[in-house]
Amino acid sequence: MLSLERIAQAAVDIADAEGLAAVSMQRVAADLDFTKMSLYRYVTGKDELVAAMIDLAAGEPPVIEELPGTSWRPRIEAWVRRLAEAWDAHPWLPWVTMGDRVMGPNETGWTEASAAILAETGLDVQERMSLARMLGGHVRATMSVSTAGTQPWVNHQQAGLLREHADRFPTLVAMLYDDQPAPPDNGREFGLRLILDGVERLVAERTS
């Protein structure tokens, strides 16, 4: 029997395996062994389907009281890590959650949780909103190379071009020969620590 959740799950499975571009009403209907027209009883088109996919893939938001620690920092750290887990499991998810749109209940719950945690910092509303955007952007930027955007040292072709023009890019060329292993999380924990250390210092300066 068809349902919105079953349709969304089929679409999520396709996107996880083949990318969002592979998702279409026809493909989802075929995977469910239904006609394309059957799906329109539950979603009006792909935009509405993607909205249902986002909310399903985001999953249930964390309950603040169940997060580790009793202060804002360990709780927002846990929130960021759980968000990263959801995005890592569905690499298409960060890119369809940008822009002006209406969020579903699960995704709204994630935003509510972060807002409630950051309210404990004592920062003003605009600062908390900026920090929340910064944390989301940090998770995006530290996803796998295939989804985090182009970097000048991630493939042999680019590295060859750098060496060929070493006089123009000496710092990047030197980085190519660094023998330290790259962090498995693409620097996510390192960056998170720097961001939150800065917030703690700001809060401490204001309270003193």
Side-chain angles (χ1 to χ4, degrees), residues 61-69 75 78 82:
V63 178
I64 295 177
E65 292 75 19
E66 296 176 359
L67 294 174
R75 286 178 170 177
R82 293 192 185 186

Side-chain angles (χ1 to χ4, degrees), residues 5 54-63 66-67 79 82-83 86 105-111 113:
E5 184 173 357
I54 291 171
D55 216 51
L56 180 65
E60 291 287 336
V63 178
E66 296 176 359
L67 294 174
W79 183 93
R82 293 192 185 186
L83 177 68
N106 282 344
E107 194 182 1
T108 303
W110 277 88
T111 305

